[in-house]
Amino acid sequence: MRKTFFLAAGLLFSVSAQSQILDVIKSTVKNQTGIDLSNPKKNTTSTSTTSASTPPSASSSVNLNNLTSTQISSGLKEALNLGVTEGVKKLGVTDGFLKNEAVKILMPEKLRIIDTKLRAFGLGSLADQGIKLINRAAEDAVTESAPIFTKAITSMTITDAKNILLGGDNAATNYLQTKTQSQLFTAFQPKVKASLGKVGADKVWTNLISKYNTLTGQAVSTDLNEYVTNETINGVFKMVAEKESGIRNNSVMRTTSILQKVFGAQDGK
């Protein structure tokens, strides 16, 4: 019994001594570092440091509000210029129009009955030749269109620059087309007329319509020059729209610093 009493007393002394030693350690740590081991708090320093050192995401790295209207205008114009340059290059070669279903020029709508009738009379080759040559004329004429488009892009004023930037995939192209279609037509029509004569499309179409009128007893006519001019311009704009959409949605296609800055900002719109 006495032995058990002394053993218990020894244990109590040991626990008491350890408690006193722990209190001394806590007191020393608090005095030296200011940290209270009796009431520990989460260390927010490392979290804050980590957060501060984490680089901003791509979408927040460029703020649209940090761009001036001049920068936005320059970025949009550069995208349009790239579209024109690449579009003209693709279209201004043999089969650039003819073998590209997105821009291929078909018979004028009011003359498509000619195509049907000629094929019914076994003259499908004449109809095919007519379509081929108006596309050849467009391919020839479009090579001279780049300066006309560039002038239209350079001279345009974008008053709603930010709205266009934050618009749809083809917002800048649509804006340009709306503002410049008539002046482009006026400047470009003589070149198309020359190309129609150069490739012989004018003579083929005169023969084509003449045969149709003879076979059907009807009298149809169309301003081929006007039609091909509009279709050629529309073809270039389709290529420009395709390029603009690519630049807007694919950062790899932003090949200059201004494109990266401006269209990088619209990523986070």
Side-chain angles (χ1 to χ4, degrees):
M1 180 71 178
R2 181 178 296 179
K3 190 174 184 180
T4 301
F5 172 80
F6 281 116
L7 179 59
L11 288 173
L12 289 172
F13 175 80
S14 176
V15 171
S16 176
Q18 288 178 9
S19 177
Q20 291 177 1
I21 293 172
L22 183 58
D23 288 340
V24 172
I25 292 174
K26 288 181 179 179
S27 176
T28 303
V29 170
K30 185 174 182 179
N31 290 335
Q32 295 295 323
T33 67
I35 298 174
D36 187 355
L37 294 179
S38 298
N39 186 25
K41 295 181 180 180
K42 291 183 179 179
N43 187 351
T44 58
T45 304
S46 60
T47 302
S48 175
T49 303
T50 302
S51 176
S53 62
T54 302
S57 63
S59 62
S60 63
S61 60
V62 183
N63 191 319
L64 188 62
N65 293 326
N66 292 334
L67 297 176
T68 65
S69 293
T70 299
Q71 288 175 320
I72 295 174
S73 176
S74 296
L76 292 172
K77 288 179 181 179
E78 183 154 335
L80 292 172
N81 271 315
L82 280 174
V84 167
T85 302
E86 293 185 14
V88 168
K89 185 177 181 180
K90 290 178 180 178
L91 296 175
V93 296
T94 301
D95 293 333
F97 271 88
L98 187 63
K99 295 295 178 68
N100 184 338
E101 292 301 322
V103 297
K104 180 180 178 179
I105 303 175
L106 304 175
M107 279 206 183
E109 187 173 355
K110 69 176 183 178
L111 297 185
R112 285 177 194 170
I113 189 174
I114 294 180
D115 184 274
T116 303
K117 291 291 185 182
L118 289 177
R119 293 183 192 282
F121 284 111
L123 297 173
S125 60
L126 181 59
D128 290 338
Q129 182 73 351
I131 294 173
K132 177 181 177 180
L133 288 181
I134 60 175
N135 281 277
R136 288 286 182 263
E139 291 159 7
D140 181 70
V142 78
T143 58
E144 299 186 51
S145 70
I148 298 173
F149 278 91
T150 300
K151 183 179 179 181
I153 292 169
T154 303
S155 62
M156 75 173 183
T157 301
I158 301 183
T159 55
D160 298 323
K162 287 186 178 181
N163 290 334
I164 292 173
L165 179 63
L166 297 178
D169 282 356
N170 307 328
T173 304
N174 292 337
Y175 177 90
L176 178 65
Q177 187 167 13
T178 300
K179 296 293 184 181
T180 65
Q181 180 86 22
S182 60
Q183 69 187 65
L184 283 169
F185 180 90
T186 300
F188 196 44
Q189 190 176 30
K191 299 183 183 300
V192 172
K193 184 176 182 180
S195 293
L196 287 169
K198 179 179 177 181
V199 302
D202 52 354
K203 292 180 180 179
V204 168
W205 270 80
T206 298
N207 183 36
L208 186 152
I209 292 173
S210 176
K211 281 194 178 299
Y212 173 79
N213 290 341
T214 299
L215 290 169
T216 64
Q218 298 182 18
V220 298
S221 63
T222 186
D223 187 337
L224 189 63
N225 186 21
E226 178 181 346
Y227 174 69
V228 175
T229 299
N230 278 323
E231 290 299 295
T232 304
I233 291 173
N234 290 339
V236 175
F237 274 123
K238 284 181 181 178
M239 302 300 285
V240 175
E242 182 179 294
K243 184 66 176 180
E244 181 190 351
S245 178
I247 291 173
R248 283 182 182 273
N249 297 298
N250 186 351
S251 59
V252 176
M253 295 181 67
R254 301 166 192 166
T255 53
T256 66
S257 59
I258 189 65
L259 290 179
Q260 291 165 5
K261 186 177 183 67
V262 171
F263 288 95
Q266 65 100 53
D267 287 342
K269 64 184 179 181

